[in-house]
Amino acid sequence: MSASRRFLLENRIDNESEIELSGEQFNHAKSVLRLGVGAEIVLLDGSGREYTAIITVIGKHSLTAHITGFADGGKEAATPVYLLCGALKGDKTELVVQKAVELGVSKIGVFNSKYCSAFMNGGAKLERLNKVAREATKQCLRSVAPEVVYFDNFELALASCGEYKNRLFACEFADHSDVDMREITGPSALIVGSEGGFAEEEFALAKDKYGFKGVTLGKRILRAETAAIAFTSIVMFLLGEMG
Ligand code: SAM
């Protein structure tokens, strides 16, 4: 079924057989897609399952759909990958979020750091990034939308990676990689800086206190968005997600 007929729910489907869609989702179904009674849709509840449902009632402000079955979506990466990227100028953070979702990451962090010059806060911009993640999730037929979180403090971003076996830090001034990426297995957290890059003390903090390994992405300096997308792609490939 086309990506546009996929609807992300805020709550898990438990034993319900009827689901109501309202607000933006309802407007999209009724006014944009012009779906009517009898149309089939797919409901995604964040569990990884895809529920098929038939619209049974279309009201003024909501619609009701009857669940007819479910299956495992089968599109989620087997290994969790968490991408953290410095806040970027313009709409580049949105680009990174969209591509990271397509590449299969399970979570995205955006952080402020010493040389970061983009304005970001935890409000409207963060909500916008989560909307981009949800749209990308539907478009690439995933069934779980990765959450986008924001850290105003770089150290909090580093601390959020504690549960990941591999903690990899793309550092533009590293002259070698501390780890052979071809050998990584298991949950991985990836850090990429903003346009301004990292301060030496931020790299040292990540390595000494939070167990990150420095990684070079080669002898050319990549734009931040290129680095984030390339780094994620390399790791996804090495984890067997792109072969
Ligand atoms: N302002 C920095 C400079 O002048 O050197 C460049 C920062 S770069 C545009 C943004 C981020 O991309 C870096 O902080 C790093 O995480 C990543 N990056 C870019 N090129 C890289 C490379 N060759 N190796 C490792 N990381 C790289």
Side-chain angles (χ1 to χ4, degrees), residues 73-85:
K75 300 284 195 305
E76 297 308 307
T79 309
V81 173
Y82 175 24
L83 173 68
L84 279 138
C85 183

Side-chain angles (χ1 to χ4, degrees), residues 79-81 166 184-188 234-242:
T79 309
V81 173
N166 308 301
I184 64 163
T185 57
S188 304
I234 292 165
V235 169
M236 283 299 183
F237 177 76
L238 293 170
L239 290 174
E241 289 293 334
M242 299 183 81

